Amino acid sequence: LEELREGAIEQLEKAQAHLRKVETEADRFWVNGYSKIDREKLNLINSNYMTLEQLENYKNKAIHFEQQRVINQVRQWVLQQALQEALGTLKSCLNNELHLRTASANIGMFGTMKEKIID
């Protein structure tokens, strides 16, 4: 009976030692699992941050491109308006000069006709 009791105690001690080992192993897996989850969470946060940063850069580049496009359109419009105004001024000057030449030529013809009539 004593041998059975000692055998049972020995088995119980072995079982308890094994249980402690299993519990320690389970705790280690538990800690490692949470550590892995935390690492994955940080990786995801960093990845999202980088993606947001890239999107912000793309947005800023798109805004800058649109600003430059609008500035170029306004420059072209201003240049076109200036050229049209210059052309209008040039036509007006040419019309005035042509008018003065025509009047001068007519005065010259009238002068010649007057001389012929008086002679």
Side-chain angles (χ1 to χ4, degrees), residues 39-56:
R39 281 193 307 274
E40 291 296 322
K41 183 172 70 172
L42 285 175
N43 288 341
L44 193 58
I45 288 170
N46 288 336
S47 175
N48 284 339
Y49 176 77
M50 290 172 55
T51 301
L52 285 174
E53 198 173 78
Q54 286 177 338
L55 289 173
E56 183 71 19

Side-chain angles (χ1 to χ4, degrees), residues 15-56:
Q16 286 174 338
H18 185 68
L19 178 61
R20 282 191 299 275
K21 184 180 176 186
V22 169
E23 285 176 339
T24 303
E25 192 72 17
D27 287 344
R28 190 172 60 82
F29 280 124
W30 186 262
V31 169
N32 287 343
Y34 272 112
S35 294
K36 186 175 181 180
I37 289 170
D38 284 342
R39 281 193 307 274
E40 291 296 322
K41 183 172 70 172
L42 285 175
N43 288 341
L44 193 58
I45 288 170
N46 288 336
S47 175
N48 284 339
Y49 176 77
M50 290 172 55
T51 301
L52 285 174
E53 198 173 78
Q54 286 177 338
L55 289 173
E56 183 71 19

Side-chain angles (χ1 to χ4, degrees), residues 56-74:
E56 183 71 19
N57 287 339
Y58 292 148
K59 179 192 80 170
N60 289 337
K61 285 179 183 179
I63 288 171
H64 180 72
F65 177 79
E66 282 300 311
Q67 286 173 337
Q68 290 301 313
R69 189 180 65 78
V70 169
I71 287 170
N72 287 336
Q73 283 180 341
V74 169

